[in-house]
Amino acid sequence: MTTPTQTDLNVKALEILRGDASKIEQLIAVQLEHLTLPKCPLYEEVMNMQMFGLSRQIDFAVRAGMINREQGQQIINDLERKLADLFSLIMP
Amino acid sequence: MTTPTQTDLNVKALEILRGDASKIEQLIAVQLEHLTLPKCPLYEEVMNMQMFGLSRQIDFAVRAGMINREQGQQIINDLERKLADLFSLIMP
């Protein structure tokens, strides 16, 4: 089994984390479509839990030396911006 | 910067994940010591959130090829057993 280079690791880690971020975005988008009251506690709890899980994965990837802190923060920022956009579509 | 071998990655990932698992164990042990009612919702919510975060880190490490699924499951099993031991100390 060949040894992955540092770049391979970085690319693979970012691919997984960005994939997970977009899954969270889709999960929230679907919930928003079906929820009459987007402010209902359950919905927020799901989002917080998913964001917490993603942040723990990113923190691990940084500590394991697979990505740097800025790359990780970028993934979180992008997702938060997309979620804010989703929210603004349905908030009067 | 030298490229980490597959073993280096495996060792580093396991070190981080086992370290996180023992932090969760200590967190719960401290809570149990100070909590009169270990069954109180907040306590369980903290434990569930921490376990969820650790499982997401382990899942990421497996998908990134740093550890195998069995190693990850072993970390979760060990922690659950230790938490069960802690619980049995205070449950009548």
Side-chain angles (χ1 to χ4, degrees):
Chain A
M1 208 171 79
T2 58
T3 300
T5 65
Q6 193 57 43
T7 323
D8 297 337
L9 283 176
N10 187 261
V11 167
K12 188 166 189 180
L14 289 174
E15 219 174 77
I16 293 172
L17 294 169
R18 287 186 181 127
D20 286 358
S22 68
K23 272 186 224 147
I24 292 173
E25 187 193 343
Q26 281 151 29
L27 170 74
I28 301 300
V30 164
Q31 289 215 332
L32 283 182
E33 266 164 50
H34 295 92
L35 268 179
T36 47
L37 190 65
K39 268 286 157 207
C40 96
L42 179 64
Y43 157 75
E44 275 198 30
E45 212 177 297
V46 167
M47 193 167 79
N48 291 340
M49 195 78 152
Q50 292 296 327
M51 292 299 278
F52 173 74
L54 182 65
S55 65
R56 294 303 288 255
Q57 288 179 242
I58 287 172
D59 179 63
F60 171 79
V62 170
R63 285 183 292 153
M66 300 181 83
I67 64 171
N68 60 48
R69 188 69 61 185
E70 291 67 36
Q71 288 174 314
Q73 194 54 53
Q74 190 60 51
I75 291 171
I76 295 276
N77 294 348
D78 290 350
L79 178 55
E80 281 177 344
R81 193 175 34 73
K82 284 176 185 164
L83 293 182
D85 291 350
L86 279 175
F87 244 86
S88 63
L89 290 178
I90 47 139
M91 282 307 196
Chain B
M1 210 171 75
T2 56
T3 300
T5 65
Q6 193 57 42
T7 325
D8 297 336
L9 285 175
N10 186 259
V11 167
K12 188 166 189 181
L14 289 174
E15 221 173 73
I16 292 171
L17 293 169
R18 288 186 181 129
D20 286 357
S22 68
K23 270 185 223 150
I24 292 173
E25 187 194 343
Q26 281 152 30
L27 171 75
I28 302 300
V30 165
Q31 288 215 329
L32 283 182
E33 265 165 51
H34 295 91
L35 266 183
T36 45
L37 191 67
K39 270 280 158 215
C40 95
L42 180 64
Y43 158 77
E44 274 200 31
E45 211 176 298
V46 167
M47 194 166 77
N48 291 340
M49 194 77 151
Q50 292 297 327
M51 292 299 277
F52 174 75
L54 182 65
S55 65
R56 293 303 287 254
Q57 288 178 241
I58 286 173
D59 178 63
F60 171 79
V62 170
R63 286 183 291 153
M66 300 183 83
I67 63 172
N68 61 49
R69 188 71 58 186
E70 291 66 35
Q71 288 174 315
Q73 194 53 53
Q74 189 61 50
I75 292 170
I76 294 277
N77 294 347
D78 290 349
L79 179 54
E80 281 176 346
R81 193 174 35 71
K82 284 175 184 166
L83 293 182
D85 291 349
L86 279 174
F87 245 87
S88 63
L89 290 177
I90 47 145
M91 282 307 193

